[in-house]
Amino acid sequence: MGMSVTISAATEKDAEQIFRLQYLCFQREAEIYGNYRIGPLVQTLDELRTEMATDRVLVARLGDEVVGAVRGNLDADGTGHIGKLCVHPRIQGHGLGARLLSAVERELAGSLGARRFQLNTGHRSESNLRLYSKAGYERVGGTTGSDGIRMITLEKEALADAYVTSA
């Protein structure tokens, strides 16, 4: 590829690229479950823009192209909720998902004070489960989504010293 991938905060100008990337990336998840009505595939561009206004949204860029994205927010109990982590299929398997996950954890813990992190993935999403397990997440529960897919809830504690950013 010749260029390095950078991770930064998303801007309003990134909304359409994130929207297209999300649609592309979550096709594989939909195929696994035989269900093309999963949340990331039915979300509208306006709904994404609303999320971008309230959540922390990070993007991975290869030049001017958004090739990865992740979102997070903090609840009143100090839990950082992470969602819609996606990496363009052509560059999956090179650690970018782990980098995005770590970056959103740093963002939620460092600037917002998250004490723990929580995320969900489908019960058949083996590559996601491997990624989250390697990152220290453990299964803490599950639910069935409105789309009928069984979701696994994973969580890990934020390590205070691990997310301190240096000047």
Side-chain angles (χ1 to χ4, degrees), residues 12 17 23-25 27 41 65 72 92 94 115 120 154:
E12 170 58 30
Q17 281 195 68
Y23 191 81
L24 173 67
C25 292
Q27 292 294 318
L41 295 183
E65 181 186 6
Q92 288 177 2
H94 297 283
R115 296 190 320 258
N120 295 293
L154 300 110

Side-chain angles (χ1 to χ4, degrees), residues 13 88 99 133 164:
K13 289 188 252 181
H88 195 290
R99 285 181 55 201
S133 177
V164 175

Side-chain angles (χ1 to χ4, degrees), residues 7 58 98-112 117 162-165:
I7 296 175
L58 302 179
R99 285 181 55 201
L100 280 163
L101 182 59
S102 179
V104 76
E105 289 173 352
R106 279 192 309 276
E107 182 72 20
L108 293 172
S111 63
L112 299 178
F117 306 110
Y163 300 105
V164 175
T165 56

Side-chain angles (χ1 to χ4, degrees), residues 13-161:
K13 289 188 252 181
D14 296 322
E16 289 185 31
Q17 281 195 68
I18 295 168
F19 184 71
R20 287 192 303 272
L21 177 68
Q22 174 179 302
Y23 191 81
L24 173 67
C25 292
F26 280 91
Q27 292 294 318
R28 182 173 175 273
E29 289 296 301
E31 187 177 313
I32 290 171
Y33 297 98
N35 183 342
Y36 289 84
R37 301 290 304 157
I38 61 175
L41 295 183
V42 298
Q43 183 177 40
T44 67
L45 181 56
D46 285 340
E47 291 168 341
L48 171 73
R49 285 189 170 120
T50 298
E51 273 186 12
M52 289 180 71
T54 59
D55 291 3
R56 299 295 171 115
V57 181
L58 302 179
V59 292
R61 296 178 202 283
L62 183 61
D64 291 333
E65 181 186 6
V66 173
V67 294
V70 65
R71 288 166 237 181
N73 60 59
L74 189 71
D75 70 16
D77 294 330
T79 300
H81 296 272
I82 299 170
K84 295 187 180 95
L85 173 63
C86 58
V87 173
H88 195 290
R90 79 172 185 267
I91 58 174
Q92 288 177 2
H94 297 283
L96 185 53
R99 285 181 55 201
L100 280 163
L101 182 59
S102 179
V104 76
E105 289 173 352
R106 279 192 309 276
E107 182 72 20
L108 293 172
S111 63
L112 299 178
R115 296 190 320 258
R116 78 188 64 73
F117 306 110
Q118 190 176 81
L119 49 80
N120 295 293
T121 193
H123 71 287
R124 292 186 203 151
S125 302
E126 296 297 329
S127 61
N128 295 349
L129 290 166
R130 274 192 306 278
L131 170 66
Y132 301 141
S133 177
K134 282 183 183 178
Y137 285 83
E138 296 180 3
R139 295 177 190 209
V140 295
T143 186
T144 300
S146 60
D147 53 16
I149 300 202
R150 280 192 342 202
M151 301 298 288
I152 296 172
T153 301
L154 300 110
E155 194 172 277
K156 80 174 190 179
E157 296 299 313
L159 305 173
D161 295 342

